[in-house]
Amino acid sequence: MVAQTFASCGHRLYYHTWKDGQSSTAYEVDFLLAEGKKICPVEVKSSAYRTHASIDAFAKRYSSRTGSRYLIYTKDYAKGQDLICLPVCMVQFLAEDL
């Protein structure tokens, strides 16, 4: 549903995966959206929304190029220091805004 919403609003769908060289941990970010000259990582969670290691690692690795970070999940809207948590029903507003 999230992919269809982004595509319907004209966003190209980019997915990013990489391994941490030190621990060979695999990370993945579900979507990458452009916000001006910055990249906004988007992670979609169905459960276990309190852990978001991949989006945190992405922001750390590409800190100079990372804009807002978004977590799409099944709970209510919440905003942390640098992470915006959106319920699935609000994805269309994010897609239209970027």
Side-chain angles (χ1 to χ4, degrees), residues 17-61:
T17 183
W18 74 99
K19 286 191 177 186
D20 181 12
Q22 297 170 351
S23 64
S24 37
T25 303
Y27 295 106
E28 61 180 39
V29 175
D30 297 324
F31 301 100
L32 298 174
L33 302 176
E35 182 180 44
K37 293 186 177 186
K38 298 288 186 172
I39 299 170
C40 298
V42 179
E43 191 168 338
V44 181
K45 294 281 196 178
S46 59
S47 63
Y49 65 92
R50 295 189 191 274
T51 59
H52 37 78
S54 293
I55 202 166
D56 293 339
F58 182 91
K60 184 177 178 181
R61 183 174 185 168

Side-chain angles (χ1 to χ4, degrees), residues 79-94:
K79 184 175 181 183
Q81 288 178 311
D82 55 354
L83 182 68
I84 300 169
C85 302
L86 295 173
V88 175
C89 64
M90 293 183 71
V91 169
Q92 68 188 23
F93 302 111
L94 171 62

